Each structure stands twice: as C-alpha cells, then as structure tokens.
Amino acid sequence: MWFMYASLAAVSFGLRGILYQWTSQRRTDRNVLLFGVYLSGALISFAVNLFVNQAWTYGVWFGVPMGLFSFIANASMYKGYSVGRASLIALFTGLPPVVVATLAYFLWSEALGIVQLAGFCIVILGLLVIRYSHDLKLGQLQGIQWGLLTMLFFGFTDLSSKQATLSAANTLPLLTVMYGTGTILFACMYLLSRLKVPAMTGQKVVAAQTARVSTNDRETGYGSDAQLARVSRHSDEDKSLPGSEDELRTHPTTGGTDNPASPAWSMKRTVLWGMTVGITNLAGMLFIIPAFRGGVTGIVSAISAMSVVLVLLYAQFYLKENISRREACGMLLALAGILVVRLAS
C-alpha cells in the first residue's frame, strides 16, 4: 500500500511542478505565491479536520520543524538559482533521498536489502542523469552552498515527516501545523523584502539628486557626491534577499526566468493562484505521510522524487520541448529502479 501512496505523491508533486513551471513565466512575487501555497494547505487541513476530528497529539508539533525545513529548503533553492548555475542547483535537488536513506539508517536502523539498495541506486542514478548538464564544470560552482542547503533541508523535511509518523501524529493536524509554520515564515520573508525595497529606492533617489548638484565630484571620485553615487551603484547590485522585485525570478526546477513582457500579477491574484497550486502540494503530503508510515524512508523519498519525470513529459507534449537522449535514458533508468524496488518489496 505504501508503494501506491508514494507513487501518488510523486504524481501530485509532479502536477505541482508543472504549475510552478507555468507560473514561472508570469511576473509574480514568489514569496506571495508560496505564502498562498502554504496558506491553502493550512486552511484546508484545518477545515477538513473539523469534520474528521483527528486528535491533536504531541506528535503534531513535528509539523513545526517540517514547515521550517521546507521553508529553508525552498528559500535556499531560489537563492541558489538567482546567484548560481541552474544546472548545479537542479542536480542537488535530486539528491535529498541519499540524505534521507543515510540518516534513516543511523536514526532508526533502516537498512535496505541488497535488491532494494540496487533499485535505490538505479533510481538515484536516473535522477542524476536527468538533471545533469554538460555545462557543469569544477571551476564553475557558484551557488554550491545553496545547493547543499537545498539538498540537506529537503532531506530533513522528509525525515521530520517520518519521525512524526513514528510519534503517532495524525495527518491533518500535523499538516495544519506544518503549513501554518510555512505560511508565517513566507509572510515574514515578504515583509522583509518590502522593507528593503523602499530603502534601496531612497538611496537611488538621493544619489540622483546629489549627482545633479555636482557632477565634478563624481568625475574626480572625491567628495560626498561620489560616495552617494557609489552607494546607489552597489545598491543596484545587492539583490540577495529572496522575493525582492529587482531580483531575477526563477523557476524552482529549471531556473527559467519570468517573461518580462507579461504584466505583473496583483497580490490578490498571486495569493489566490498560490492557494490553487497549494491543493496539489497538500495532496502530495497527504499521500507521502502514510507512505512514510508503512514504507522504507529512503525508498519512499526516492519514489516521490520521480515527480521530475512528469514535468519532463509536460515539457515534451505541451511545451513542445524535445526530451534529450540523456533525459530519456535517465527516465528509463529511474523507472527501472522503481520496478526493482517494487519487486523487492
């Protein structure tokens, strides 16, 4: 049964990836979008539980680290796409199952059988082949620290989910706490980005006004006018805070940028669309938690990571992007690995 739940989780997360890809071509504030995604999960989980009436045990508080780790992973991934090579970050997003399988062995003594281990390795190899890019070079590892954080904290999210199931936490209260935590964190991130934008704008205005008063100081490089001009120039380059309007928005899987020609979405529209996307995200979590409850942690994590295959098929048949021979081989490897895991289980 757990295998079916893990497979359905992969399908749900794949649909989420497709919606993210579509949204990446629109001018949206990603913090507002993810706020809507998490808000939807929190509200739906809480509302459904009013009728189902699952008990709120102490185990539901594992939803706090789940929400925190998920927030850090998403923020690190977006930051990595904005400052590093998209191909490098994409490679690391395929590696959380390795972290999960390794730590699950030390935390809960979950050892994979020989056939299971072989299937697991084939799945991971397939995922890496899919995400590998020929432009990866040892001398060009910008953003690798953000890729490592992405890998670790996506893995920690899965491990927290497993620990919550071991603590007999009920699914709906657990997800309410998880998504509630993420909602608060993304709201705070949005507010921080809004506080930074006026400060940057003010610096630019002051620098422009001062430049009109004295161009001589700027040309010679001396005086307060030159200093203010330098402040304005550096403020243009400082785009490190995720979510700022000046920062290049990227797609969470491919690193693709927004279409600058499209009109910017309003906050209301972005939140509502984020809540719509959040339904697929919630569905994935509703499937993956019972999968963790009954299955081997590392294998469940690897199967759910197969969501990338659905995104590739969407790109092939809807976006008319040709799947490369490498990506096709990676898909076949990953599917073969899942078949081996299924037969071994």
Side-chain angles (χ1 to χ4, degrees):
M1 197 68 176
W2 65 265
F3 184 87
M4 182 187 70
Y5 282 131
S7 301
L8 290 173
V11 172
S12 299
F13 290 141
L15 292 174
R16 179 193 63 182
I18 290 172
L19 294 176
Y20 277 156
Q21 195 283 335
W22 184 86
T23 309
S24 72
Q25 306 305 312
R26 278 73 187 167
R27 295 179 60 193
T28 61
D29 187 309
R30 65 169 159 267
N31 285 323
V32 177
L33 177 72
L34 291 172
F35 168 81
V37 170
Y38 279 72
L39 178 64
S40 174
L43 293 178
I44 294 175
S45 299
F46 182 77
V48 173
N49 195 47
L50 291 178
F51 297 95
V52 178
N53 200 26
Q54 292 183 350
W56 289 70
T57 62
Y58 287 110
V60 303
W61 292 110
F62 279 103
V64 174
M66 287 170 63
L68 175 62
F69 294 153
S70 178
F71 165 78
I72 295 175
N74 278 284
S76 299
M77 178 176 64
Y78 281 123
K79 179 62 177 177
Y81 278 130
S82 67
V83 302
R85 301 181 69 84
S87 54
L88 179 67
I89 305 303
L91 191 67
F92 277 105
T93 60
L95 290 175
V98 177
V99 176
V100 173
T102 303
L103 293 182
Y105 174 78
F106 292 103
L107 290 173
W108 307 300
S109 300
E110 283 192 356
L112 301 178
I114 295 178
V115 180
Q116 286 181 322
L117 180 60
F120 175 82
C121 291
I122 294 173
V123 172
I124 297 302
L125 178 62
L127 291 174
L128 292 181
V129 169
I130 291 173
R131 295 171 182 271
Y132 175 76
S133 175
H134 292 295
D135 67 350
L136 280 177
K137 298 178 181 178
L138 290 178
Q140 299 176 343
L141 299 179
Q142 301 94 329
I144 189 173
Q145 70 275 26
W146 300 109
L148 288 169
L149 288 174
T150 300
M151 176 187 69
L152 289 173
F153 282 97
F154 273 135
F156 292 163
T157 303
D158 283 353
L159 290 168
S160 300
S161 302
K162 177 67 174 187
Q163 184 58 56
T165 64
L166 294 176
S167 302
N170 289 310
T171 302
L172 291 173
L174 175 68
L175 293 180
T176 301
V177 175
M178 171 194 169
Y179 283 117
T181 302
T183 300
I184 294 172
L185 291 172
F186 279 111
C188 292
M189 182 63 74
Y190 170 76
L191 293 175
L192 286 174
S193 69
R194 293 303 91 194
L195 289 175
K196 184 178 181 180
V197 170
M200 293 171 59
T201 304
Q203 288 179 333
K204 295 174 185 177
V205 171
V206 171
Q209 291 175 344
T210 309
R212 285 195 294 268
V213 174
S214 175
T215 58
N216 182 57
D217 282 349
R218 193 179 344 181
E219 292 173 355
T220 59
Y222 296 101
S224 59
D225 296 327
Q227 293 175 355
L228 285 170
R230 284 194 291 271
V231 168
S232 176
R233 182 173 65 253
H234 291 309
S235 68
D236 289 336
E237 297 169 357
D238 183 13
K239 301 174 182 177
S240 60
L241 188 63
S244 66
E245 289 184 350
D246 290 334
E247 185 186 27
L248 187 65
R249 297 179 178 86
T250 53
H251 175 242
T253 301
T254 64
T257 59
D258 291 323
N259 179 7
S262 63
W265 283 22
S266 65
M267 179 182 292
K268 179 180 179 181
R269 184 181 181 184
T270 304
V271 171
L272 289 176
W273 178 245
M275 294 181 71
T276 303
V277 177
I279 296 174
T280 60
N281 195 43
L282 175 62
M285 292 302 299
L286 287 172
F287 288 128
I288 202 171
I289 288 178
F292 278 129
R293 187 172 286 120
V296 180
T297 311
I299 293 179
V300 171
S301 180
I303 293 175
S304 65
M306 287 291 296
S307 58
V308 67
V309 173
L310 198 61
V311 178
L312 285 176
L313 293 176
Y314 163 78
Q316 167 74 20
F317 295 106
Y318 182 77
L319 299 180
K320 306 302 180 183
E321 297 178 0
N322 292 327
I323 295 179
S324 67
R325 185 177 301 177
R326 170 183 53 79
E327 291 171 332
C329 291
M331 290 171 60
L332 291 176
L333 274 174
L335 293 173
I338 288 182
L339 180 61
V340 171
V341 168
R342 182 69 186 96
L343 293 175
S345 304

